[in-house]
Amino acid sequence: TMRNCQNNGNIVASGMRNTIGGLVGLLQSDLDFIQTPKYVFENSVNHGTIVSNGGSLNDVGGFIGSVLNNRDMEFSINKCCNTAEIKMNATRIGYIGGLVGMIKGNFKSTIQLSESTNNGAFEVIGNQSYVGGLVGWLVYNSFSHVIVSNSTNNGMINLLNATRTSFLGGIIGVIDQSPSNNVSLTNVINSANVISCHNCLSSNAGLIGFVRIPSKTTSFRLSIFHSLNLGTISNSFKESNACGLFCTTPDPLSQQVIIEVVNSINNGTANGFYSYGIGNSASKAINVVSMGAITGRAKPFFDACEDGRFWFILKGISSDIMTEATIFDRHNGMYKTESGKQVDDELNKNAVSEQYGMVWTRDLRLVHGMHITLGKPVNRVLVVTRNTDVSVIDALIGNINASEKLHFVDK
């Protein structure tokens, strides 16, 4: 356990194999002898600039360089912050994250990043780079659950040079599909620009630079809930992708491979050779808003989505308006649909009826809703907005006798 720790010293590495972090370089256990390691990082901060020069392999993190080959591990970073710039000038490959550079080969483990922030900018040069505002690369974490929640990246990601395809994400650089691996992002925000040089082939996104799916028969789930991108996503080199929330293969997914996006929004420009308001492909997308400008060969939401409902798109961001989407515009400081309904009201109808837990404000931001505790005979806690109609609450709890009729008091 490392609690209330702080690093103020700059760290510079110039070896052929650099594994460096503001607090820890490498966390690794022998799978045959240490089967239940527990690592806790809490209320800690890194202020020291981190520089990796010349290495052919580089694992670089604001807190930890690499978390590698642990079994039945419990790993958590909670209420931590990196404020320092991270720079890499590599001869070959780099995995760089504001909190952790690489999380690899962890079996039957729980990995949690919560209430944490990266404020440090990234400057990256390398043959190939995996860069994430919080984590650079997630790979080979079989039968594990990765949970990223209530966390933010404010650090600009700038790829200055690359000779092979690189991957940049405001939260995670790359997620590689692993057997029975579940990854969830809940209430995460990227506010920073994610930019590649004009001659760099790359896949850039507001949340996840690329989700690699090598097998459609291997069980894998990625869930994105209540999340937001505000940053500009830019990479105009031929065949590059710019995605509002995540990039992946444009092909339809399978029953074993699930990518779902719920109650989330992109409000950042996507400027790529191929551009997507949300992502290339998804299994399910519900209560989703696309309102950032899209340039290049553009899709306002996805190339393919099996189950898409309650989509909203800002008028004028793309000429390709999907029939599934409701168009809205700004009128007198309010976002309204073409039929005059307020967009936040329409989004909140579904958010409340499905009890997502987070609701929409007038300026289309996500906040925690009001909690109403109902006693006997209902015995439930509901999450609502201040303007939730009583009829909606009646429908949620159901079967109330006339003598026990619910009255909603806003006090």
Side-chain angles (χ1 to χ4, degrees), residues 165-168 194 196 200-206 208-210 233-244 246-250 270-276 279-280 297 303:
T165 304
S166 293
F167 307 94
L168 317 178
V194 181
S196 295
C200 294
L201 177 61
S202 64
S203 176
N204 298 4
I208 305 167
F210 195 72
I233 313 303
S234 181
N235 55 345
S236 56
F237 189 69
K238 187 176 180 180
E239 303 301 322
S240 287
N241 288 329
C243 307
F246 66 93
C247 293
T248 187
T249 171
N271 176 25
F273 187 84
Y274 297 107
S275 298
Y276 300 87
N280 313 61
R297 301 182 184 185
D303 252 339

Side-chain angles (χ1 to χ4, degrees), residues 28-211:
Q28 181 177 13
S29 65
D30 189 315
L31 296 181
D32 293 327
F33 297 99
I34 306 175
Q35 295 192 358
T36 57
K38 184 173 182 178
Y39 305 113
V40 177
F41 296 82
E42 193 170 68
N43 291 318
S44 297
V45 62
N46 174 57
H47 293 305
T49 297
I50 300 175
V51 180
S52 182
N53 286 323
S56 60
L57 290 173
N58 301 265
D59 306 332
V60 184
F63 273 72
I64 304 164
S66 179
V67 181
L68 181 66
N69 293 347
N70 298 279
R71 179 171 182 160
D72 295 316
M73 173 184 67
E74 293 182 23
F75 173 89
S76 65
I77 294 178
N78 182 45
K79 297 180 179 177
C80 291
C81 180
N82 174 60
T83 67
E85 189 175 26
I86 298 176
K87 298 181 179 182
M88 187 191 76
N89 188 348
T91 59
R92 204 162 150 249
I93 298 177
Y95 311 111
I96 307 105
L99 298 180
V100 185
M102 179 175 71
I103 301 176
K104 178 181 178 181
N106 301 287
F107 183 71
K108 289 186 177 179
S109 296
T110 301
I111 299 158
Q112 299 187 68
L113 284 69
S114 60
E115 297 183 57
S116 295
T117 303
N118 174 62
N119 293 324
F122 302 82
E123 287 190 3
V124 180
I125 297 172
N127 179 275
Q128 185 177 43
S129 300
Y130 295 48
V131 188
L134 300 184
V135 179
W137 191 24
L138 285 170
V139 60
Y140 302 145
N141 298 296
S142 301
F143 300 93
S144 295
H145 194 181
V146 180
I147 307 159
V148 184
S149 62
N150 304 313
S151 296
T152 302
N153 174 56
N154 300 313
M156 177 178 173
I157 299 174
N158 193 359
L159 180 65
L160 301 177
N161 189 41
T163 56
R164 295 176 60 194
T165 304
S166 293
F167 307 94
L168 317 178
I171 301 299
I172 299 172
V174 175
I175 299 174
D176 265 287
Q177 176 193 30
S178 300
S180 298
N181 179 207
N182 292 335
V183 181
S184 66
L185 276 63
T186 302
N187 190 25
V188 298
I189 299 171
N190 174 60
S191 66
N193 296 341
V194 181
I195 299 174
S196 295
C197 61
H198 72 278
N199 61 345
C200 294
L201 177 61
S202 64
S203 176
N204 298 4
L207 302 184
I208 305 167
F210 195 72
V211 183

Side-chain angles (χ1 to χ4, degrees), residues 352-355 380 382-384 388 390-398:
V352 171
S353 65
E354 296 296 329
Q355 287 295 281
R380 282 190 64 184
L382 301 179
V383 181
V384 301
T388 298
V390 175
S391 63
V392 176
I393 300 175
D394 277 345
L396 279 172
I397 56 183

Side-chain angles (χ1 to χ4, degrees), residues 304-379:
C305 181
E306 298 168 25
D307 180 9
R309 289 170 280 148
F310 304 106
W311 293 2
F312 295 82
I313 182 171
L314 180 65
K315 185 177 181 180
I317 68 169
S318 173
S319 58
D320 182 7
I321 301 298
M322 306 180 75
T323 56
E324 300 92 335
T326 299
I327 301 171
F328 68 93
D329 206 350
R330 194 174 181 90
H331 298 280
N332 300 320
M334 310 276 290
Y335 291 112
K336 293 187 177 182
T337 68
E338 293 182 324
S339 61
K341 296 178 180 179
Q342 289 191 183
V343 177
D344 60 297
D345 287 345
E346 296 302 294
L347 288 162
N348 282 331
K349 285 179 183 178
N350 194 53
V352 171
S353 65
E354 296 296 329
Q355 287 295 281
Y356 289 146
M358 296 193 73
V359 297
W360 299 80
T361 64
R362 290 286 189 244
D363 57 352
L364 300 187
R365 294 292 185 267
L366 285 156
V367 297
H368 292 283
M370 290 172 49
H371 284 69
I372 298 178
T373 302
L374 303 175
K376 294 180 180 180
V378 180
N379 294 321

